[in-house]
Amino acid sequence: MQKLSLTGSTKHAADDQLRGLSVLFLDGDEVFIDNGAIHGKSRLETGVKFVQNRAEVPNGRTVLGLWITLHRFPEGQGFYGVQPFELFLDKEAQVGYKNLVEQVKGMEKAVRGEVNLAGVPQAARQKIVEYLQKVRPDLWQHAQPAFLEAMTSLGD
C-alpha cells in the first residue's frame, strides 16, 4: 500500500527571500529576513518560551521586526506596506515577550499597504534601507512613494 503525503511537509521550511509578506529583523547591527516569523518560528523565537508580562524577561534585549509586503504596480513589483513590531528576548534564559495581538494587527495593516515606521529610529531605518537596496534594488525602485518616504524620512 502506498503512503499518501497529505500535509506536504513535516517540517517548517522558510527561505530567506522577500515574498508577498516577509519579516525583516534588526538585531543589533545584523539585518536579516526570516520568514519563519510569519508562523512564530523565526531563528530568534526558536526555543524561547514567551510570557505574558515583559517584566518576566530578566535580561531582555529589544529586537526590531518589520512586516514588509510587496505589490505588483504597473511599473513592476515593489515594496508596499511596512509595520514595525518588537520582540523582547533573553536567549540565555530562553524566555521572551511579544505582543501577539499587536503583531497580528501590524501584519494585517502591512498586507493592506499601510506604512508606519513611527518609533523606528533613523539609524535603524538607514541600516534597513541599505539592506533592502542591496538585496532587491528592483523592489526598492518600484516601491510605493509612501514606503520610500517613511524609510528615508528624518523623523523618529
Side-chain angles (χ1 to χ4, degrees):
M1 180 181 290
Q2 182 180 6
K3 182 178 176 182
L4 297 176
S5 178
L6 300 177
T7 59
S9 176
T10 59
K11 292 186 179 179
H12 175 75
D15 62 7
D16 287 340
Q17 297 179 16
L18 288 162
R19 299 183 182 177
L21 172 66
S22 293
V23 178
L24 183 140
F25 285 111
L26 176 61
D27 186 10
D29 287 330
E30 184 183 13
V31 181
F32 60 95
I33 295 168
D34 189 336
N35 288 328
I38 294 168
H39 303 288
K41 297 180 180 181
S42 71
R43 73 179 194 204
L44 295 171
E45 297 165 294
T46 302
V48 173
K49 176 188 176 204
F50 284 92
V51 295
Q52 297 293 318
N53 186 341
R54 186 175 174 146
E56 296 177 55
V57 184
N59 298 307
R61 72 181 195 289
T62 301
V63 177
L64 173 66
L66 294 177
W67 297 108
I68 297 180
T69 56
L70 304 178
H71 185 74
R72 184 156 305 280
F73 300 101
E75 310 81 39
Q77 191 171 26
F79 294 115
Y80 184 52
V82 61
Q83 296 286 322
F85 66 92
E86 288 184 345
L87 298 178
F88 194 64
L89 303 171
D90 183 342
K91 284 294 270 190
E92 191 171 301
Q94 296 180 317
V95 66
Y97 171 80
K98 61 182 174 181
N99 186 329
L100 194 54
V101 172
E102 290 302 315
Q103 276 192 344
V104 170
K105 286 180 183 178
M107 179 181 67
E108 290 173 351
K109 289 178 181 181
V111 168
R112 290 193 305 261
E114 294 182 33
V115 173
N116 174 20
L117 289 176
V120 177
Q122 181 60 32
R125 290 183 202 186
Q126 185 60 40
K127 290 176 188 174
I128 294 164
V129 165
E130 290 170 6
Y131 178 84
L132 292 175
Q133 288 176 333
K134 180 181 173 189
V135 169
R136 289 294 303 271
D138 57 320
L139 296 176
W140 184 264
Q141 181 182 3
H142 296 114
Q144 77 156 314
F147 184 95
L148 296 174
E149 183 179 327
M151 282 291 186
T152 59
S153 72
L154 297 176
D156 282 352

